[in-house]
Amino acid sequence: MSRSRATELLIRVDLRARSTLQQQIYDGVRRAILDGVALPGAKLRSSRELARELGVSRTTTLLAYDQLIAEGYASARQGSGTFISHELPNDPSQTSPIGRPSRNRHPSLSRRGLALAAVPCTTQRVGGPPRAFRLGTPALELFPMRLWTRLVNRRVQSATLRDLDYGSFAGLDVLREAIADHVQSARGTHCHADQVVIVAGSKPGLDLICRLLLDSGDHAWMEDPGFLGARASLLAAGARIVPVPVDQEGLDVAAGVRRAPHARLVYVTPSHQFPLGIPMSLPRRLELLKWARGARAWIVEDDYDSEFRFGTHAVQCLHGLDPDGRVIYLGSFSKTLFPALRLGFLIVPANLRETFVAARRGIDHHPPTLDQVVLADFMAGGHFERHLRRMRAAYRERLEAMTTAADRFCRGAVTIRPVRAGLHVVADLHGVEASTVCREAALRELEVMPLSAYGARRRTYANALVLGFASLPPDGLIDGMKRLAAAIDAATGVNASGRGRRTRRSAVQYPAHE
Ligand SMILES: Cc1ncc(COP(=O)(O)O)c(C=O)c1O
């Protein structure tokens, strides 16, 4: 038993939570035992390993384990480790009419379910109002809320009983027409409104694609680093994910061919690679299309934030270069409008449109009709295009404010990679570890992600941060940069001493007058 592998528990700790770290670890392990994720007799990860993995002190994990042992959830075996008990303690709050509570309150999860639940969180959200440098959230305070409310009210007041019934499974016709017009003028592709299927955001769209196009065990290429949300959909469909490296031209197609030449599907973000922020070069796009044709593979193009460009022309989407109908285009209104809207769309091959709609009918119906019709009104009235123009100017200003502040407050420690599109940047760190900076940043109410969080080959990544610049006005970003400088300084002390003691050496060069 002592040689068995320690069981994987999906525990996360949140530095900002009300409960102590020890309590969170205790709760996480206890929950895993009660849910049947951790089985009787299984060995728990050593307190030292768990402490290292969660970035907490060993004393914290030891105390959490001691509590589990004291309450009978686990037992310690001298020299072998800590094991989950075969008999659960009685929980007085859980008396059951059929006798003692069973060891597991319900059957355990599927392997697929466990894999899905283990996909790490994409963002490090502190919660509450937007903070520097939140990823994925646009400038919500600039959204024309009053206009949107007027459009909603008008539709609610004129609603008939028919509007309360099920609508078209592909989505509302007027909205699909507005989207087809927009994509053709803004993204350089051709499609008919019939090919547009409205979904509740990119993630449900991707989920539908994966369920329909993949069989369990199929290989699917994914950009590495890449969007963890895509990873979840692929796993849920039972796909075997093949991480394919990204270089300065985008997805390394030759590397993908070496790793899995007969993959069934590839997920890409060619207009603005997530998270590296680079466009895929034209030769690479053609190489990808050529391989996909030969391998009879699908390409899923996630065009999540390509509307925002700074001093550069729009890059035509991959869908526009595809003569075969093997690229499925995935669009979202989460960045262009607001994420809570939960509306996005697919552009599917004309001959598969009925199949997509039939499959969606089996598992879902359609996103709420009221939201769809209001969005259609917003687009038909020209407000969408106006909003995009306004937001491009606002984001350009935010980006400038952030890069200037980085140069001013973090010079010597941070280099922001050139940015020409999108709503986030990659910032290389010098002389200080990204993971330590992220921890110190969280203590200062900053939302900062290490680049390594998005990759399969974590150890090989550049020592860098991914920083969003869209959700706060320039003042907030400048203030955020000052706090990031302080976090880097604190992290430099931690790294330099190696044991958490601070040194006086600073990685950050402060402006003379600060
Ligand atoms: C690469 C990528 N695709 C898509 C999305 C949007 O997802 P959704 O439309 O489900 O909100 C995001 C959100 O951050 C993203 O980063």
Side-chain angles (χ1 to χ4, degrees):
M1 187 63 90
S2 61
R3 284 165 168 265
S4 61
R5 281 191 56 207
T7 194
E8 285 274 347
L9 299 179
L10 316 170
I11 302 176
R12 293 195 193 107
V13 288
D14 179 357
L15 292 174
R16 312 219 48 84
R18 290 230 175 115
S19 53
T20 62
L21 293 173
Q22 176 192 329
Q23 183 67 34
Q24 291 179 49
I25 294 167
Y26 162 83
D27 286 340
V29 180
R30 183 172 171 275
R31 191 72 264 154
I33 295 171
L34 293 175
D35 287 349
V37 174
L39 297 174
K43 184 179 176 183
L44 287 174
R45 202 159 270 222
S46 77
S47 56
R48 194 183 303 278
E49 271 173 9
L50 188 64
R52 195 174 322 120
E53 190 178 298
L54 298 177
V56 302
S57 80
R58 175 137 184 259
T59 314
T60 305
T61 50
L62 271 175
L63 288 172
Y65 277 14
D66 282 351
Q67 191 180 346
L68 289 159
I69 293 167
E71 293 181 7
Y73 290 100
S75 58
R77 287 189 214 147
Q78 195 69 38
S80 305
T82 308
F83 294 83
I84 295 165
S85 302
H86 286 273
E87 281 298 314
L88 273 190
N90 265 335
D91 181 348
S93 66
Q94 301 289 327
T95 46
S96 151
I98 57 166
R100 278 187 75 196
S102 65
R103 140 154 280 289
N104 302 322
R105 303 276 149 87
H106 49 69
S108 57
L109 299 180
S110 66
R111 278 203 294 279
R112 192 175 289 180
L114 285 174
L116 244 186
V119 173
C121 204
T122 342
T123 48
Q124 187 117 40
R125 290 200 171 213
V126 177
R131 299 166 193 277
F133 298 95
R134 180 167 289 182
L135 283 166
T137 300
L140 300 177
E141 83 286 4
L142 298 182
F143 183 73
M145 199 61 187
R146 214 178 282 160
L147 166 67
W148 187 265
T149 311
R150 219 172 44 234
L151 297 177
V152 171
N153 287 343
R154 211 181 64 195
R155 283 294 179 176
V156 171
Q157 278 156 15
S158 64
T160 64
L161 289 181
R162 210 166 148 229
D163 295 323
L164 304 185
D165 205 347
Y166 291 113
S168 156
F169 291 108
L172 215 64
D173 289 352
V174 276
L175 179 56
R176 293 191 295 117
E177 278 155 22
I179 288 172
D181 283 349
H182 171 73
V183 171
Q184 292 189 97
S185 62
R187 303 300 302 121
T189 191
H190 297 288
C191 73
H192 192 271
D194 275 351
Q195 292 172 254
V196 177
V197 179
I198 310 292
V199 288
S202 312
K203 284 192 188 169
L206 193 56
D207 201 45
L208 179 63
I209 292 172
C210 291
R211 287 192 201 212
L212 204 56
L213 306 185
L214 288 174
D215 285 315
S216 194
D218 280 345
H219 284 113
W221 292 4
M222 226 201 104
E223 295 164 325
D224 181 16
F227 179 45
L228 298 177
R231 196 178 157 73
S233 296
L234 291 167
L235 284 174
R240 283 197 270 170
I241 296 177
V242 180
V244 178
V246 176
D247 63 17
Q248 62 284 3
E249 288 195 63
L251 184 89
D252 184 345
V253 178
V257 174
R258 279 195 301 278
R259 284 167 198 205
H262 305 296
R264 183 92 178 267
L265 180 145
V266 47
Y267 165 85
V268 274
T269 48
S271 302
H272 186 239
Q273 203 276 334
F274 187 88
L276 294 178
I278 46 164
M280 188 188 274
S281 71
L282 184 61
R284 276 291 164 81
R285 288 167 189 247
L286 298 176
E287 193 184 351
L288 180 62
L289 288 167
K290 189 168 166 212
W291 164 77
R293 175 181 279 183
R296 300 180 60 76
W298 292 101
I299 300 174
V300 178
E301 174 178 27
D302 183 355
D303 208 25
Y304 66 107
D305 72 356
S306 59
E307 310 282 357
F308 303 115
R309 300 174 304 277
F310 314 109
T312 165
H313 291 299
V315 186
Q316 183 189 22
C317 64
L318 197 58
H319 189 270
L321 293 173
D322 167 34
D324 299 341
R326 65 179 64 256
V327 176
I328 299 189
Y329 182 99
L330 186 55
S332 171
F333 291 97
S334 290
K335 309 285 174 271
T336 49
L337 298 179
F338 57 99
L341 182 59
R342 303 314 304 142
L343 284 177
F345 58 95
L346 310 180
I347 303 177
V348 303
N351 62 334
L352 273 190
R353 187 242 180 211
E354 289 307 324
T355 314
F356 264 87
V357 173
R360 122 82 70 84
R361 196 169 53 225
I363 50 176
D364 179 17
H365 282 279
H366 52 73
T369 306
L370 178 63
D371 297 336
Q372 292 189 63
V373 75
V374 171
L375 176 55
D377 290 345
F378 191 77
M379 293 180 86
H383 307 299
F384 184 61
E385 291 301 337
R386 255 195 302 284
H387 183 60
L388 287 182
R389 275 199 298 278
R390 207 169 144 231
M391 298 314 289
R392 269 181 213 121
Y395 291 141
R396 183 195 294 260
E397 191 190 354
R398 288 174 188 210
L399 175 60
E400 266 171 31
M402 186 167 86
T403 45
T404 309
D407 198 35
R408 184 161 178 224
F409 299 112
C410 304
R411 192 178 319 148
V414 168
T415 311
I416 293 188
R417 296 188 192 176
V419 188
R420 304 176 71 179
L423 305 178
H424 70 268
V425 300
V426 175
D428 289 299
L429 288 173
H430 312 294
V432 60
E433 274 293 313
S435 54
T436 323
V437 172
C438 290
R439 268 203 296 282
E440 292 291 339
L443 296 174
R444 290 163 178 78
E445 308 216 317
L446 296 174
E447 295 180 6
V448 174
M449 285 298 281
L451 178 61
S452 60
Y454 299 96
R457 302 163 303 142
R458 283 161 194 258
R459 292 190 190 287
T460 64
Y461 281 118
N463 183 34
L465 304 175
V466 185
L467 307 174
F469 60 83
S471 72
L472 279 188
D475 284 356
L477 294 167
I478 294 167
D479 176 60
M481 250 330 142
K482 285 185 194 163
R483 279 185 282 144
L484 183 61
I488 291 172
D489 225 7
T492 309
V494 171
N495 285 355
S497 71
R499 292 181 161 209
R501 272 190 299 112
R502 305 275 150 87
T503 67
R504 287 211 194 88
R505 196 162 62 83
S506 171
V508 179
Q509 292 169 17
Y510 294 100
H513 55 280
E514 281 294 316

